[in-house]
């Protein structure tokens, strides 16, 4: 049986192509608005996989636009009734459904407080798109599996396209435009060697730094959602400050390295854990002791990091089924979660 999740993973390159083809004017307008405003800082508003997309964009904006980015708890507006001084700032809100009351309330609050607001959503029109100055339809199409995949990727692609426009980054813009082809290549990568390492395991770590840490966070969530296995994401530097104490012999650890300045240190950490007996895997080139997982080259460190999630999604969908679960309908979860 082909699950909805597997079908939607396969649709990611097409969804990204559709986004870039159909939303070009809206993406350019949002980027130009940031250029005109020249925000002193940015805030993000999201939950779940959408928050992991924002985490990715945080590292992207901080590295390539030189602006600090902070995540705002949506409950600040919806539960606590508070507002922030955001004049001179920009806000990015991400929501697949575009209607979670707390995300909408915080976006309205940010706009009222003077921030230029950008909504990335798979649903237009929606309360979230109405609350923002600029609304981008991420064009992921219907997503039936509870676990988000193509909407996560398309949200990040939209953010990267806006960043490229804002900063006039020709290399980033080119890599983003090539993503439909490079992500299609990533669909064929085989991460099945992880399967044996996870047999009998009830917990694992996912490691990364910079944008790859956001990928690790998304991967950890997908293990929990689809396979009922405990997974935690850590910086490959931060894991050494305490959490490494739990890493015993054959403890599974997956490192996401994306050919950027953090690659060498991430690989070194995974190699060290492998030498101590952990079942360590890493995506970067040049590991001595950790097992290597394949990754595509996209022509830019940011899109290299994003592409890492594609073979992982394929693996975790198959892993979920191998454990007797239905990845389309995880227990105790529903597709749209509306929090206040």
């Amino acid at each position: 049986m082909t699950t909805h999740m597997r079908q939607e993973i396969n649709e990611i390159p097409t969804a990204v192509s559709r986004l870039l083809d159909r939303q070009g004017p809206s993406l350019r307008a949002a980027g130009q608005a940031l250029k005109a405003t020249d925000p002193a800082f940015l805030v993000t508003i999201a939950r779940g996989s959408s928050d992991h997309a924002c985490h990715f964009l945080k590292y992207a904006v901080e590295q390539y636009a030189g602006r600090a980015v902070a995540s705002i708890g949506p409950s600040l507006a919806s539960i606590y009734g508070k507002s922030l001084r955001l004049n001179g700032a920009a806000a990015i809100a991400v929501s697949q459904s575009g209607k979670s009351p707390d995300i909408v309330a915080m976006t309205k609050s940010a706009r009222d407080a003077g921030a230029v607001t950008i909504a990335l959503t798979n649903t237009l029109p929606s309360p979230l798109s109405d609350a923002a100055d600029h609304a981008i339809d991420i064009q992921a199409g219907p997503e039936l599996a509870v676990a988000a995949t193509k909407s996560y990727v398309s949200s990040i692609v939209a953010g990267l396209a806006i960043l490229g426009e804002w900063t006039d980054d020709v290399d980033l813009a080119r890599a983003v435009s090539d993503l439909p082809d490079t992500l299609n290549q990533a669909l064929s990568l085989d991460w099945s060697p992880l399967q044996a390492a996870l047999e009998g395991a009830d917990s694992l770590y996912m490691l990364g730094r910079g944008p790859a840490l956001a990928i690790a966070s998304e991967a950890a969530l997908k293990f929990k959602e689809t396979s009922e296995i405990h997974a935690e994401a850590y910086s490959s530097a931060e894991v050494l400050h305490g959490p490494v104490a739990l890493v015993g012999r054959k403890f599974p650890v997956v490192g996401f390295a994306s050919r950027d300045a953090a690659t060498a240190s991430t690989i070194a950490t995974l190699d060290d854990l492998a030498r101590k007996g952990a079942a360590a895997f890493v995506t970067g080139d040049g590991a001595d002791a950790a097992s290597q997982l394949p990754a595509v080259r996209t022509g830019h460190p940011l899109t290299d990091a994003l592409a890492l999630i594609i073979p992982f999604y394929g693996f975790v969908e198959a892993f979920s089924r191998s454990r007797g679960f239905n990845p389309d309908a995880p227990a105790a979860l529903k597709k749209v979660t509306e929090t206040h």
Side-chain angles (χ1 to χ4, degrees), residues 156-182:
I156 292 176
V157 173
L160 292 180
I162 292 168
L163 175 61
E165 181 71 27
W166 173 19
T167 59
D168 294 318
D169 190 323
V170 175
D171 292 336
L172 177 58
R174 183 182 301 112
V176 168
S177 69
D178 290 343
L179 273 173
D181 289 335
T182 51

Side-chain angles (χ1 to χ4, degrees), residues 139-163:
Q139 294 284 326
E143 194 171 56
L144 301 179
V146 169
T149 53
K150 57 181 180 173
S151 62
Y152 170 79
V153 174
S154 290
S155 295
I156 292 176
V157 173
L160 292 180
I162 292 168
L163 175 61

Side-chain angles (χ1 to χ4, degrees), residues 306-332:
L306 177 58
L308 295 176
I309 201 61
I310 305 300
F312 171 79
Y313 278 157
F315 168 79
V316 81
E317 185 274 340
F319 180 71
S320 173
R321 289 186 289 103
S322 75
R323 287 170 62 90
F325 297 115
N326 177 4
D328 288 343

Side-chain angles (χ1 to χ4, degrees), residues 13-217:
T14 300
V16 169
S17 179
R18 189 165 54 236
L19 164 65
L20 298 176
D21 288 344
R22 297 181 182 178
Q23 291 294 295
S26 296
L27 294 168
R28 288 190 289 274
Q32 288 298 318
L34 293 177
K35 187 182 295 187
T37 304
D38 190 23
F41 64 96
L42 284 81
V43 296
T44 62
I45 306 164
R47 293 196 186 278
S49 287
S50 294
D51 196 38
H52 296 156
C54 288
H55 194 191
F56 188 105
L57 295 175
K58 165 188 167 67
Y59 283 109
V61 169
E62 289 178 345
Q63 287 188 44
Y64 289 87
R67 304 299 196 280
V69 182
S71 173
I72 297 180
S75 59
L76 186 70
S78 62
I79 296 296
Y80 296 102
K82 305 295 183 181
S83 61
L84 298 173
R85 295 182 180 179
L86 296 176
N87 51 303
I92 299 176
V94 183
S95 169
Q96 194 278 143
S97 70
K99 61 181 183 179
S100 188
D102 53 352
I103 304 298
V104 174
M106 192 66 244
T107 303
K108 287 180 178 177
S109 177
R111 186 180 186 181
D112 291 345
V116 174
T117 51
I118 299 171
L120 308 179
T121 178
N122 202 30
T123 309
L124 263 71
S126 64
L128 181 61
S129 66
D130 292 341
D133 297 307
H134 299 271
I136 309 299
D137 184 345
I138 63 171
Q139 294 284 326
E143 194 171 56
L144 301 179
V146 169
T149 53
K150 57 181 180 173
S151 62
Y152 170 79
V153 174
S154 290
S155 295
I156 292 176
V157 173
L160 292 180
I162 292 168
L163 175 61
E165 181 71 27
W166 173 19
T167 59
D168 294 318
D169 190 323
V170 175
D171 292 336
L172 177 58
R174 183 182 301 112
V176 168
S177 69
D178 290 343
L179 273 173
D181 289 335
T182 51
L183 295 182
N184 192 57
Q185 295 170 31
L187 284 174
S188 65
L189 299 181
D190 180 14
W191 281 24
S192 62
L194 284 175
Q195 180 83 31
L198 293 173
E199 292 298 332
D202 56 12
S203 187
L204 73 153
Y205 284 168
M206 319 296 284
L207 307 182
R209 294 188 78 170
L213 175 56
I215 299 298
S217 297

